[in-house]
Amino acid sequence: MIASTTYQVSHLDELEAESLFIMREVVAELERPVLLFSGGKDSIVMLRLAQKAFAPAGVPFPVMHVDTGHNFPEVLEYRDQRVAEMGLHLVVASVPEALASGLVHESPDGMRNRI
């Protein structure tokens, strides 16, 4: 008699597999994808998923950080460390520079978003 074994994928493993599939589809379908990275827990997870999706090759798109000028130094250090470790291309968009150059205007009430 042969024993029957079953393999069940956990819900978390299923969600991870779906995430990896979506990342691969994005790269296959879009011309210039980019991963937004704030340094928060969500973007750290997304960066790790991107790494897993394309292993053993590298992540095939740049990482973009929109620098608000209100970042903790540790967040910027971590961002730079991870980008260097993974050999990624980092694009930084600076809100303070956009304000200084006139590209973005701040209303008297401090809002930068148009309504």
Side-chain angles (χ1 to χ4, degrees):
M1 181 190 265
I2 298 175
S4 173
T5 60
T6 59
Y7 178 77
Q8 289 189 335
V9 176
S10 74
H11 182 64
L12 189 57
D13 286 338
E14 190 176 326
L15 290 173
E16 181 186 58
E18 186 176 355
S19 299
L20 301 181
F21 175 80
I22 290 169
M23 283 209 175
R24 293 175 187 134
E25 283 294 305
V26 166
V27 168
E29 295 292 328
L30 300 176
E31 281 185 40
R32 296 174 48 196
V34 64
L35 177 68
L36 291 175
F37 186 81
S38 67
K41 61 187 177 300
D42 295 338
S43 60
I44 291 171
V45 168
M46 293 297 291
L47 186 58
R48 178 64 180 128
L49 287 171
Q51 187 179 31
K52 289 178 91 170
F54 301 102
V59 176
F61 44 78
V63 171
M64 181 175 190
H65 180 218
V66 179
D67 182 3
T68 62
H70 301 288
N71 298 297
F72 291 107
E74 297 85 0
V75 170
L76 300 178
E77 289 171 21
Y78 177 79
R79 175 202 69 190
D80 294 342
Q81 177 187 354
R82 289 299 291 149
V83 165
E85 287 171 358
M86 295 174 67
L88 300 173
H89 174 67
L90 174 66
V91 176
V92 177
S94 170
V95 173
E97 287 178 16
L99 287 167
S101 71
L103 183 63
V104 174
H105 300 284
E106 195 168 49
S107 63
D109 63 1
M111 294 294 293
R112 299 175 185 161
N113 299 328
R114 295 183 193 151
I115 296 176

